[in-house]
Amino acid sequence: MAPTKRSSWPEKMSELPLHINIRDPRWDQSTFVGRAKHFFTVTNPLNLLLSEEELNKARMIVMNYRAGIVTPGLTEDELWNAKYKYDSAFHPDTGEKVFIVGRMSAQVPMNMLISGCMLTFYRKVSTVVFWQWVNQSFNAIVNYSNRSGDAEITDTQLGVAYLSATSGAVVTALGLNSLTKHLPSMVGRFIPFTAVAAANCINIPLMRQREIEVGIPVTDDYGQRLGTSSKAAQLGIFQVVTSRIGMAIPALTIPPVIMSVLEKRKFLQQRPWLIGPLQVGLVGICLVFATPLCCALFPQRSSIRVSRLEPELRDRIKKQNPDAEVVYFNKGL
């Protein structure tokens, strides 16, 4: 009896189907847990170590799959891995490679260093000004890199947004410093958080003001673009501001409480050089969890009711699809 040919069966089974929706995250984004899993992957600092070759390979796999071409031998896990590598470095709307400091995977290490230094050097005017300037420079890069939509922003608008946010943060920090000089030292430790929260309320809307002016793309359930909406942009910016302030709360409020206790201990009094590194480490521990969990407060593919859109856009959508109740948009990060 001739041997049975079995080679074709595993080959067919190894072919990846084309119905996997890699435009959306792998986990259910209608639940907080699903969004948290997604953002723990997106904000993973190890993504910063990916080489140009790895990123370009991931981009090719994703682009080919979206075009209906399956890379030979590709498994579903490898496809999702490529998707998250691609997402870690490329803007979801423009497809442009994001400057490494502006990537979400840089949030934890960069904020760990900056926030730790703001908490350590909050007493002197010169160090307050310097670290608030560093923080707002970093935030400006992040806000621009992770903006929603593909609307361009001019150099003048960028400059105004950057100077306004930096000035707001510095003025807030210095003003609070002067007001709390005669209060317990513990109060002064929370000045960096107040300044950061105030600056986020300035920086993000200004860096993304172009979105408010011209709107951001809104789509239907199937991802078909229906138009642009300023109302959606305003909602997305509000959600991002809320998330960013939420990220700062644990990192800029928990370490000061812990450090106020530890600095009274003989061990640290004899080794003051350990205060800075210890504070940076505590901030890092908080950010590892706070960053993805606060990003997960709102879905990345957020939604807005058609009734809340601009009248012209609302009428056009209702004319095309009378049953449409909500539309979707990328809120940015």
Side-chain angles (χ1 to χ4, degrees):
M1 181 185 294
T4 304
K5 291 184 178 180
R6 300 192 301 174
S7 59
S8 61
W9 183 77
E11 286 177 5
K12 289 182 179 179
M13 290 298 290
S14 67
E15 291 179 1
L16 201 62
L18 290 171
H19 62 73
I20 301 172
N21 181 14
I22 60 169
R23 293 187 180 277
D24 294 331
R26 187 172 192 176
W27 297 278
D28 182 5
Q29 297 299 283
S30 65
T31 68
F32 177 78
V33 172
R35 294 195 296 271
K37 289 180 179 179
H38 166 68
F39 281 110
F40 267 106
T41 305
V42 170
T43 61
N44 184 356
L46 295 178
N47 289 334
L48 293 175
L49 303 178
L50 296 172
S51 65
E52 290 295 309
E53 182 181 356
E54 288 176 292
L55 291 175
N56 290 330
K57 181 181 178 181
R59 184 178 186 276
M60 182 183 69
I61 290 173
V62 170
M63 292 294 101
N64 282 347
Y65 189 82
R66 288 177 178 175
I69 304 170
V70 179
T71 303
L74 187 70
T75 66
E76 183 173 352
D77 284 339
E78 289 171 340
L79 175 64
W80 283 111
N81 188 37
K83 176 226 170 16
Y84 275 104
K85 286 181 180 179
Y86 171 79
D87 288 350
S88 75
F90 296 89
H91 191 278
D93 291 326
T94 66
E96 297 175 355
K97 186 175 289 183
V98 176
F99 179 51
I100 189 168
V101 175
R103 297 173 190 173
M104 289 306 293
S105 48
Q107 282 282 298
V108 171
M110 290 297 295
N111 276 322
M112 180 176 70
L113 173 63
I114 296 170
S115 298
C117 288
M118 283 196 295
L119 290 173
T120 303
F121 308 110
Y122 67 92
R123 292 183 177 90
K124 292 184 179 179
V125 171
S126 59
T127 53
V128 168
V129 172
F130 175 75
W131 284 109
Q132 289 294 339
W133 167 73
V134 171
N135 186 49
Q136 290 314 308
S137 298
F138 170 64
N139 283 341
I141 296 172
V142 172
N143 294 335
Y144 177 75
S145 300
N146 295 282
R147 65 198 184 281
S148 176
D150 49 13
E152 291 296 326
I153 183 170
T154 66
D155 292 340
T156 301
Q157 291 170 326
L158 280 173
V160 169
Y162 172 68
L163 291 175
S164 300
T166 304
S167 302
V170 170
V171 168
T172 301
L174 294 180
L176 290 172
N177 260 343
S178 63
L179 290 173
T180 57
K181 282 182 179 179
H182 304 294
L183 296 175
S185 61
M186 187 63 181
V187 177
R189 291 177 181 269
F190 292 100
I191 290 175
F193 166 70
T194 308
V196 167
N200 273 324
C201 294
I202 301 170
N203 194 322
I204 296 172
L206 284 175
M207 290 301 293
R208 296 175 57 175
Q209 61 183 304
R210 186 66 177 160
E211 298 174 29
I212 299 175
E213 293 173 3
V214 303
I216 58 175
V218 294
T219 65
D220 60 17
D221 292 331
Y222 305 101
Q224 296 297 316
R225 184 165 173 162
L226 301 172
T228 57
S229 170
S230 295
K231 297 287 187 181
Q234 293 170 23
L235 177 58
I237 290 170
F238 170 77
Q239 292 175 343
V240 170
V241 170
T242 303
S243 296
R244 294 286 185 84
I245 293 176
M247 287 180 208
I249 290 175
L252 294 176
T253 60
I254 295 175
V257 174
I258 296 174
M259 291 303 298
S260 68
V261 175
L262 294 180
E263 286 177 11
K264 296 175 184 177
R265 304 299 173 113
K266 187 176 180 180
F267 179 81
L268 273 186
Q269 290 177 347
Q270 294 177 342
R271 301 169 181 82
W273 55 271
L274 276 176
I275 293 175
L278 183 58
Q279 193 137 236
V280 170
L282 287 172
V283 171
I285 292 171
C286 292
L287 286 172
V288 164
F289 297 97
T291 299
L293 292 178
C294 288
C295 281
L297 289 175
F298 305 99
Q300 182 64 40
R301 185 177 181 239
S302 196
S303 62
I304 183 172
R305 296 192 68 82
V306 174
S307 58
R308 294 180 57 188
L309 298 174
E310 295 84 345
E312 183 180 343
L313 178 60
R314 180 179 64 229
D315 294 342
R316 188 164 70 246
I317 292 173
K318 282 295 187 181
K319 186 176 180 180
Q320 294 174 352
N321 185 359
D323 297 326
E325 295 294 333
V326 297
V327 292
Y328 302 90
F329 60 94
N330 170 29
K331 71 175 176 66
L333 286 171

